Amino acid sequence: MTRTGLYPGSFDPIHNGHLDIIGRAVKLVDKLVIGVAVDTGKSALFTLEERMEIAREETAHLKDQAEIVVHGYAGLTINAARSLGAQFLVRGLRAFSDFEHEFQLTSMNQQLDRDIETVFLMADPHHQAVASRLVKEIVSMGGDITPFVPEGVKRRLMAKAGQR
Ligand code: ADP
């Protein structure tokens, strides 16, 4: 049986916190699907295609650890997991503040599909505070985002912000 995990998010754009979680998740599954949500619930800086392309570029080096597939999806995450044949949903926990939201989401997902387990992973403390929203805010104000994103993502963010 292929152990398949779905790691869902908006990935607008992918950052070092996400990549830390992905690096851990590939040790647990044979196939990891990075599910890039069409609907981010907020206006995205990058298009779906850009978010997917960035995710592909930044995870290419992990392909000898597990099969990695980047997949765009709309609608309920649990439905995406089911149609992809994923047995696991992978979520990253940052701070205590994530807990309540994740607790609710997981409880409801358990009722929507009892066969899909949610697995929580914690990033290295260095990466725990990174959030796409803050990275975008910092770059828009001319701050240095080097510690938070890989070089390729930094270049794309700076280009969007009109910086060289
Ligand atoms: P962001 O909040 O940075 O926009 P997403 O909404 O794309 O991220 O989150 C996708 C998943 O990644 C969620 O499970 C979220 O908790 C997790 N995640 C995001 N940032 C981090 C981080 N710095 N450390 C660990 N997990 C994270």
PDB file of all heavy atoms in Angstrom, residues 125-155:
ATOM      1  N   PRO A 125      12.304  25.308  15.754  1.00  0.00           N
ATOM      2  CA  PRO A 125      11.982  26.607  16.362  1.00  0.00           C
ATOM      3  C   PRO A 125      12.377  27.815  15.488  1.00  0.00           C
ATOM      4  O   PRO A 125      11.689  28.834  15.496  1.00  0.00           O
ATOM      5  CB  PRO A 125      12.764  26.607  17.677  1.00  0.00           C
ATOM      6  CG  PRO A 125      12.933  25.166  18.002  1.00  0.00           C
ATOM      7  CD  PRO A 125      12.987  24.412  16.702  1.00  0.00           C
ATOM      8  N   HIS A 126      13.450  27.681  14.713  1.00  0.00           N
ATOM      9  CA  HIS A 126      13.876  28.784  13.844  1.00  0.00           C
ATOM     10  C   HIS A 126      12.817  29.146  12.815  1.00  0.00           C
ATOM     11  O   HIS A 126      12.774  30.259  12.318  1.00  0.00           O
ATOM     12  CB  HIS A 126      15.132  28.380  13.050  1.00  0.00           C
ATOM     13  CG  HIS A 126      16.376  28.576  13.823  1.00  0.00           C
ATOM     14  ND1 HIS A 126      17.056  27.530  14.379  1.00  0.00           N
ATOM     15  CD2 HIS A 126      17.046  29.700  14.145  1.00  0.00           C
ATOM     16  CE1 HIS A 126      18.100  27.997  15.020  1.00  0.00           C
ATOM     17  NE2 HIS A 126      18.124  29.307  14.890  1.00  0.00           N
ATOM     18  N   HIS A 127      12.001  28.163  12.434  1.00  0.00           N
ATOM     19  CA  HIS A 127      11.046  28.372  11.345  1.00  0.00           C
ATOM     20  C   HIS A 127       9.613  28.494  11.812  1.00  0.00           C
ATOM     21  O   HIS A 127       8.720  28.726  11.012  1.00  0.00           O
ATOM     22  CB  HIS A 127      11.149  27.211  10.340  1.00  0.00           C
ATOM     23  CG  HIS A 127      12.487  27.084   9.709  1.00  0.00           C
ATOM     24  ND1 HIS A 127      13.075  25.879   9.429  1.00  0.00           N
ATOM     25  CD2 HIS A 127      13.358  28.039   9.321  1.00  0.00           C
ATOM     26  CE1 HIS A 127      14.260  26.092   8.891  1.00  0.00           C
ATOM     27  NE2 HIS A 127      14.461  27.393   8.817  1.00  0.00           N
ATOM     28  N   GLN A 128       9.400  28.315  13.112  1.00  0.00           N
ATOM     29  CA  GLN A 128       8.015  28.244  13.604  1.00  0.00           C
ATOM     30  C   GLN A 128       7.222  29.536  13.444  1.00  0.00           C
ATOM     31  O   GLN A 128       6.018  29.506  13.291  1.00  0.00           O
ATOM     32  CB  GLN A 128       8.005  27.810  15.072  1.00  0.00           C
ATOM     33  CG  GLN A 128       8.114  26.301  15.216  1.00  0.00           C
ATOM     34  CD  GLN A 128       8.266  25.860  16.648  1.00  0.00           C
ATOM     35  OE1 GLN A 128       7.941  26.604  17.561  1.00  0.00           O
ATOM     36  NE2 GLN A 128       8.748  24.663  16.850  1.00  0.00           N
ATOM     37  N   ALA A 129       7.916  30.651  13.503  1.00  0.00           N
ATOM     38  CA  ALA A 129       7.174  31.919  13.474  1.00  0.00           C
ATOM     39  C   ALA A 129       6.934  32.439  12.059  1.00  0.00           C
ATOM     40  O   ALA A 129       6.222  33.419  11.865  1.00  0.00           O
ATOM     41  CB  ALA A 129       7.922  32.968  14.295  1.00  0.00           C
ATOM     42  N   VAL A 130       7.511  31.756  11.074  1.00  0.00           N
ATOM     43  CA  VAL A 130       7.389  32.273   9.701  1.00  0.00           C
ATOM     44  C   VAL A 130       5.966  32.099   9.195  1.00  0.00           C
ATOM     45  O   VAL A 130       5.351  31.050   9.374  1.00  0.00           O
ATOM     46  CB  VAL A 130       8.373  31.532   8.752  1.00  0.00           C
ATOM     47  CG1 VAL A 130       8.345  32.162   7.370  1.00  0.00           C
ATOM     48  CG2 VAL A 130       9.779  31.519   9.316  1.00  0.00           C
ATOM     49  N   ALA A 131       5.428  33.135   8.594  1.00  0.00           N
ATOM     50  CA  ALA A 131       4.090  33.087   8.000  1.00  0.00           C
ATOM     51  C   ALA A 131       4.134  33.876   6.697  1.00  0.00           C
ATOM     52  O   ALA A 131       4.765  34.940   6.632  1.00  0.00           O
ATOM     53  CB  ALA A 131       3.059  33.685   8.952  1.00  0.00           C
ATOM     54  N   SER A 132       3.444  33.358   5.670  1.00  0.00           N
ATOM     55  CA  SER A 132       3.461  34.026   4.359  1.00  0.00           C
ATOM     56  C   SER A 132       3.031  35.484   4.485  1.00  0.00           C
ATOM     57  O   SER A 132       3.615  36.371   3.865  1.00  0.00           O
ATOM     58  CB  SER A 132       2.530  33.308   3.382  1.00  0.00           C
ATOM     59  OG  SER A 132       2.947  31.985   3.195  1.00  0.00           O
ATOM     60  N   ARG A 133       2.007  35.709   5.285  1.00  0.00           N
ATOM     61  CA  ARG A 133       1.469  37.075   5.427  1.00  0.00           C
ATOM     62  C   ARG A 133       2.558  38.045   5.917  1.00  0.00           C
ATOM     63  O   ARG A 133       2.703  39.149   5.402  1.00  0.00           O
ATOM     64  CB  ARG A 133       0.292  37.053   6.428  1.00  0.00           C
ATOM     65  CG  ARG A 133      -0.393  38.390   6.616  1.00  0.00           C
ATOM     66  CD  ARG A 133      -1.530  38.275   7.627  1.00  0.00           C
ATOM     67  NE  ARG A 133      -1.109  37.845   8.973  1.00  0.00           N
ATOM     68  CZ  ARG A 133      -0.582  38.654   9.892  1.00  0.00           C
ATOM     69  NH1 ARG A 133      -0.393  39.930   9.625  1.00  0.00           N
ATOM     70  NH2 ARG A 133      -0.226  38.189  11.079  1.00  0.00           N
ATOM     71  N   LEU A 134       3.334  37.601   6.896  1.00  0.00           N
ATOM     72  CA  LEU A 134       4.365  38.480   7.456  1.00  0.00           C
ATOM     73  C   LEU A 134       5.529  38.667   6.489  1.00  0.00           C
ATOM     74  O   LEU A 134       6.080  39.758   6.375  1.00  0.00           O
ATOM     75  CB  LEU A 134       4.855  37.916   8.796  1.00  0.00           C
ATOM     76  CG  LEU A 134       3.786  37.903   9.891  1.00  0.00           C
ATOM     77  CD1 LEU A 134       4.297  37.216  11.145  1.00  0.00           C
ATOM     78  CD2 LEU A 134       3.351  39.334  10.227  1.00  0.00           C
ATOM     79  N   VAL A 135       5.868  37.594   5.783  1.00  0.00           N
ATOM     80  CA  VAL A 135       6.954  37.693   4.796  1.00  0.00           C
ATOM     81  C   VAL A 135       6.577  38.732   3.730  1.00  0.00           C
ATOM     82  O   VAL A 135       7.385  39.583   3.351  1.00  0.00           O
ATOM     83  CB  VAL A 135       7.235  36.301   4.156  1.00  0.00           C
ATOM     84  CG1 VAL A 135       8.209  36.433   3.000  1.00  0.00           C
ATOM     85  CG2 VAL A 135       7.775  35.323   5.192  1.00  0.00           C
ATOM     86  N   LYS A 136       5.303  38.677   3.280  1.00  0.00           N
ATOM     87  CA  LYS A 136       4.853  39.633   2.249  1.00  0.00           C
ATOM     88  C   LYS A 136       4.860  41.065   2.797  1.00  0.00           C
ATOM     89  O   LYS A 136       5.208  42.005   2.100  1.00  0.00           O
ATOM     90  CB  LYS A 136       3.445  39.243   1.766  1.00  0.00           C
ATOM     91  CG  LYS A 136       3.460  37.996   0.889  1.00  0.00           C
ATOM     92  CD  LYS A 136       2.081  37.636   0.375  1.00  0.00           C
ATOM     93  CE  LYS A 136       1.266  36.913   1.410  1.00  0.00           C
ATOM     94  NZ  LYS A 136       0.038  36.298   0.866  1.00  0.00           N
ATOM     95  N   GLU A 137       4.489  41.185   4.062  1.00  0.00           N
ATOM     96  CA  GLU A 137       4.465  42.514   4.683  1.00  0.00           C
ATOM     97  C   GLU A 137       5.890  43.081   4.784  1.00  0.00           C
ATOM     98  O   GLU A 137       6.125  44.242   4.466  1.00  0.00           O
ATOM     99  CB  GLU A 137       3.865  42.374   6.085  1.00  0.00           C
ATOM    100  CG  GLU A 137       3.032  43.558   6.528  1.00  0.00           C
ATOM    101  CD  GLU A 137       2.232  43.187   7.762  1.00  0.00           C
ATOM    102  OE1 GLU A 137       1.269  42.422   7.642  1.00  0.00           O
ATOM    103  OE2 GLU A 137       2.607  43.655   8.862  1.00  0.00           O
ATOM    104  N   ILE A 138       6.816  42.227   5.212  1.00  0.00           N
ATOM    105  CA  ILE A 138       8.206  42.673   5.388  1.00  0.00           C
ATOM    106  C   ILE A 138       8.799  43.113   4.050  1.00  0.00           C
ATOM    107  O   ILE A 138       9.395  44.184   3.944  1.00  0.00           O
ATOM    108  CB  ILE A 138       9.065  41.554   6.043  1.00  0.00           C
ATOM    109  CG1 ILE A 138       8.590  41.321   7.484  1.00  0.00           C
ATOM    110  CG2 ILE A 138      10.546  41.906   6.013  1.00  0.00           C
ATOM    111  CD1 ILE A 138       9.146  40.074   8.145  1.00  0.00           C
ATOM    112  N   VAL A 139       8.592  42.287   3.012  1.00  0.00           N
ATOM    113  CA  VAL A 139       9.202  42.638   1.712  1.00  0.00           C
ATOM    114  C   VAL A 139       8.572  43.905   1.142  1.00  0.00           C
ATOM    115  O   VAL A 139       9.256  44.738   0.532  1.00  0.00           O
ATOM    116  CB  VAL A 139       9.159  41.445   0.721  1.00  0.00           C
ATOM    117  CG1 VAL A 139       7.807  41.266   0.069  1.00  0.00           C
ATOM    118  CG2 VAL A 139      10.239  41.586  -0.345  1.00  0.00           C
ATOM    119  N   SER A 140       7.284  44.090   1.379  1.00  0.00           N
ATOM    120  CA  SER A 140       6.626  45.292   0.828  1.00  0.00           C
ATOM    121  C   SER A 140       7.149  46.566   1.497  1.00  0.00           C
ATOM    122  O   SER A 140       7.049  47.651   0.939  1.00  0.00           O
ATOM    123  CB  SER A 140       5.103  45.197   0.996  1.00  0.00           C
ATOM    124  OG  SER A 140       4.762  45.417   2.345  1.00  0.00           O
ATOM    125  N   MET A 141       7.723  46.405   2.675  1.00  0.00           N
ATOM    126  CA  MET A 141       8.280  47.578   3.373  1.00  0.00           C
ATOM    127  C   MET A 141       9.797  47.639   3.251  1.00  0.00           C
ATOM    128  O   MET A 141      10.458  48.345   4.001  1.00  0.00           O
ATOM    129  CB  MET A 141       7.863  47.546   4.839  1.00  0.00           C
ATOM    130  CG  MET A 141       6.374  47.738   5.005  1.00  0.00           C
ATOM    131  SD  MET A 141       5.934  47.644   6.731  1.00  0.00           S
ATOM    132  CE  MET A 141       4.169  47.524   6.621  1.00  0.00           C
ATOM    133  N   GLY A 142      10.330  46.845   2.327  1.00  0.00           N
ATOM    134  CA  GLY A 142      11.772  46.920   2.047  1.00  0.00           C
ATOM    135  C   GLY A 142      12.643  46.145   3.018  1.00  0.00           C
ATOM    136  O   GLY A 142      13.869  46.312   3.024  1.00  0.00           O
ATOM    137  N   GLY A 143      12.043  45.289   3.850  1.00  0.00           N
ATOM    138  CA  GLY A 143      12.836  44.516   4.820  1.00  0.00           C
ATOM    139  C   GLY A 143      13.508  43.315   4.173  1.00  0.00           C
ATOM    140  O   GLY A 143      13.147  42.898   3.069  1.00  0.00           O
ATOM    141  N   ASP A 144      14.471  42.742   4.883  1.00  0.00           N
ATOM    142  CA  ASP A 144      15.240  41.603   4.372  1.00  0.00           C
ATOM    143  C   ASP A 144      14.547  40.291   4.767  1.00  0.00           C
ATOM    144  O   ASP A 144      14.433  39.969   5.954  1.00  0.00           O
ATOM    145  CB  ASP A 144      16.666  41.653   4.946  1.00  0.00           C
ATOM    146  CG  ASP A 144      17.511  40.510   4.434  1.00  0.00           C
ATOM    147  OD1 ASP A 144      17.118  39.870   3.435  1.00  0.00           O
ATOM    148  OD2 ASP A 144      18.574  40.240   5.045  1.00  0.00           O
ATOM    149  N   ILE A 145      14.129  39.540   3.754  1.00  0.00           N
ATOM    150  CA  ILE A 145      13.395  38.297   4.027  1.00  0.00           C
ATOM    151  C   ILE A 145      14.282  37.050   3.892  1.00  0.00           C
ATOM    152  O   ILE A 145      13.790  35.929   3.922  1.00  0.00           O
ATOM    153  CB  ILE A 145      12.145  38.175   3.115  1.00  0.00           C
ATOM    154  CG1 ILE A 145      12.536  38.365   1.648  1.00  0.00           C
ATOM    155  CG2 ILE A 145      11.073  39.173   3.537  1.00  0.00           C
ATOM    156  CD1 ILE A 145      11.420  38.023   0.668  1.00  0.00           C
ATOM    157  N   THR A 146      15.593  37.274   3.761  1.00  0.00           N
ATOM    158  CA  THR A 146      16.528  36.149   3.582  1.00  0.00           C
ATOM    159  C   THR A 146      16.333  35.017   4.594  1.00  0.00           C
ATOM    160  O   THR A 146      16.396  33.849   4.208  1.00  0.00           O
ATOM    161  CB  THR A 146      17.989  36.669   3.656  1.00  0.00           C
ATOM    162  OG1 THR A 146      18.108  37.765   2.758  1.00  0.00           O
ATOM    163  CG2 THR A 146      18.998  35.590   3.311  1.00  0.00           C
ATOM    164  N   PRO A 147      16.095  35.310   5.882  1.00  0.00           N
ATOM    165  CA  PRO A 147      15.993  34.183   6.825  1.00  0.00           C
ATOM    166  C   PRO A 147      14.709  33.353   6.678  1.00  0.00           C
ATOM    167  O   PRO A 147      14.618  32.287   7.276  1.00  0.00           O
ATOM    168  CB  PRO A 147      15.979  34.870   8.205  1.00  0.00           C
ATOM    169  CG  PRO A 147      16.321  36.293   7.977  1.00  0.00           C
ATOM    170  CD  PRO A 147      16.002  36.609   6.560  1.00  0.00           C
ATOM    171  N   PHE A 148      13.758  33.834   5.922  1.00  0.00           N
ATOM    172  CA  PHE A 148      12.431  33.205   5.956  1.00  0.00           C
ATOM    173  C   PHE A 148      12.059  32.394   4.719  1.00  0.00           C
ATOM    174  O   PHE A 148      11.141  31.566   4.771  1.00  0.00           O
ATOM    175  CB  PHE A 148      11.357  34.289   6.164  1.00  0.00           C
ATOM    176  CG  PHE A 148      11.695  35.252   7.271  1.00  0.00           C
ATOM    177  CD1 PHE A 148      11.745  36.616   7.038  1.00  0.00           C
ATOM    178  CD2 PHE A 148      11.977  34.779   8.537  1.00  0.00           C
ATOM    179  CE1 PHE A 148      12.080  37.507   8.058  1.00  0.00           C
ATOM    180  CE2 PHE A 148      12.310  35.653   9.568  1.00  0.00           C
ATOM    181  CZ  PHE A 148      12.363  37.030   9.325  1.00  0.00           C
ATOM    182  N   VAL A 149      12.706  32.686   3.611  1.00  0.00           N
ATOM    183  CA  VAL A 149      12.346  32.013   2.347  1.00  0.00           C
ATOM    184  C   VAL A 149      13.606  31.604   1.586  1.00  0.00           C
ATOM    185  O   VAL A 149      14.651  32.232   1.751  1.00  0.00           O
ATOM    186  CB  VAL A 149      11.488  32.934   1.427  1.00  0.00           C
ATOM    187  CG1 VAL A 149      10.097  33.162   1.983  1.00  0.00           C
ATOM    188  CG2 VAL A 149      12.181  34.256   1.159  1.00  0.00           C
ATOM    189  N   PRO A 150      13.508  30.568   0.727  1.00  0.00           N
ATOM    190  CA  PRO A 150      14.662  30.232  -0.114  1.00  0.00           C
ATOM    191  C   PRO A 150      14.933  31.358  -1.111  1.00  0.00           C
ATOM    192  O   PRO A 150      14.045  32.181  -1.375  1.00  0.00           O
ATOM    193  CB  PRO A 150      14.213  28.963  -0.843  1.00  0.00           C
ATOM    194  CG  PRO A 150      12.944  28.522  -0.226  1.00  0.00           C
ATOM    195  CD  PRO A 150      12.360  29.684   0.495  1.00  0.00           C
ATOM    196  N   GLU A 151      16.141  31.334  -1.673  1.00  0.00           N
ATOM    197  CA  GLU A 151      16.607  32.402  -2.570  1.00  0.00           C
ATOM    198  C   GLU A 151      15.640  32.654  -3.750  1.00  0.00           C
ATOM    199  O   GLU A 151      15.343  33.801  -4.073  1.00  0.00           O
ATOM    200  CB  GLU A 151      18.001  31.981  -3.073  1.00  0.00           C
ATOM    201  CG  GLU A 151      18.905  33.078  -3.528  1.00  0.00           C
ATOM    202  CD  GLU A 151      19.006  34.295  -2.613  1.00  0.00           C
ATOM    203  OE1 GLU A 151      19.144  34.125  -1.373  1.00  0.00           O
ATOM    204  OE2 GLU A 151      18.944  35.431  -3.151  1.00  0.00           O
ATOM    205  N   GLY A 152      15.158  31.578  -4.365  1.00  0.00           N
ATOM    206  CA  GLY A 152      14.271  31.726  -5.528  1.00  0.00           C
ATOM    207  C   GLY A 152      12.970  32.430  -5.162  1.00  0.00           C
ATOM    208  O   GLY A 152      12.437  33.244  -5.925  1.00  0.00           O
ATOM    209  N   VAL A 153      12.454  32.121  -3.993  1.00  0.00           N
ATOM    210  CA  VAL A 153      11.204  32.736  -3.525  1.00  0.00           C
ATOM    211  C   VAL A 153      11.460  34.209  -3.179  1.00  0.00           C
ATOM    212  O   VAL A 153      10.647  35.088  -3.477  1.00  0.00           O
ATOM    213  CB  VAL A 153      10.631  31.971  -2.303  1.00  0.00           C
ATOM    214  CG1 VAL A 153       9.348  32.614  -1.817  1.00  0.00           C
ATOM    215  CG2 VAL A 153      10.400  30.506  -2.641  1.00  0.00           C
ATOM    216  N   LYS A 154      12.617  34.463  -2.606  1.00  0.00           N
ATOM    217  CA  LYS A 154      12.989  35.846  -2.280  1.00  0.00           C
ATOM    218  C   LYS A 154      13.019  36.691  -3.551  1.00  0.00           C
ATOM    219  O   LYS A 154      12.457  37.792  -3.592  1.00  0.00           O
ATOM    220  CB  LYS A 154      14.367  35.848  -1.596  1.00  0.00           C
ATOM    221  CG  LYS A 154      14.896  37.230  -1.276  1.00  0.00           C
ATOM    222  CD  LYS A 154      16.263  37.147  -0.623  1.00  0.00           C
ATOM    223  CE  LYS A 154      16.973  38.475  -0.690  1.00  0.00           C
ATOM    224  NZ  LYS A 154      18.324  38.407  -0.137  1.00  0.00           N
ATOM    225  N   ARG A 155      13.645  36.142  -4.604  1.00  0.00           N
ATOM    226  CA  ARG A 155      13.723  36.878  -5.873  1.00  0.00           C
ATOM    227  C   ARG A 155      12.327  37.195  -6.413  1.00  0.00           C
ATOM    228  O   ARG A 155      12.040  38.305  -6.832  1.00  0.00           O
ATOM    229  CB  ARG A 155      14.507  36.069  -6.915  1.00  0.00           C
ATOM    230  CG  ARG A 155      16.005  36.308  -6.869  1.00  0.00           C
ATOM    231  CD  ARG A 155      16.664  35.871  -8.172  1.00  0.00           C
ATOM    232  NE  ARG A 155      16.409  34.464  -8.472  1.00  0.00           N
ATOM    233  CZ  ARG A 155      17.128  33.453  -7.973  1.00  0.00           C
ATOM    234  NH1 ARG A 155      18.151  33.705  -7.177  1.00  0.00           N
ATOM    235  NH2 ARG A 155      16.846  32.205  -8.278  1.00  0.00           N
TER     236      ARG A 155
END
